[in-house]
Amino acid sequence: MPRSVNHVASKAKRTRILKLTRGYFGARKNVWTVAKNTWEKGLTYAYRDRRNKKRNFRALWIQRINAAARLEGMSYSQFMGALHKAGIEINRKVLADLAMNNPQAFKAIVEKVK
């Protein structure tokens, strides 16, 4: 008796992944094994970079807070230490946004913690 293979499902799976790799260079877009490997590797990069994105944004916020604090005569570490000592709980994202878009409000926070 011949072996039963579900060609419909396996072809659909290959078509789905080849559709996801459209726009890739060379064999990465149309050779099944190469495309599958490229697509899987892309998923691992996506997973990794969703975490790296958080790191990069935190670093950006710290740089912006540091630049704004130095204009007011404090370093980043001095400013954050004074902020915690004063009991002001504002996260870095909000502080960086104030430093960029509302310097007067940031200056008021710096005056409060000095």
Side-chain angles (χ1 to χ4, degrees), residues 69-81:
R70 285 182 187 276
L71 290 175
E72 305 300 327
M74 295 179 91
S75 71
Y76 170 78
S77 60
Q78 291 169 341
F79 174 66
M80 293 307 283

Side-chain angles (χ1 to χ4, degrees), residues 30-45:
N30 54 14
V31 176
W32 162 243
T33 50
V34 181
K36 181 174 67 77
N37 292 340
T38 305
W39 172 73
E40 286 173 350
K41 186 88 175 234
L43 292 179
T44 63
Y45 285 144

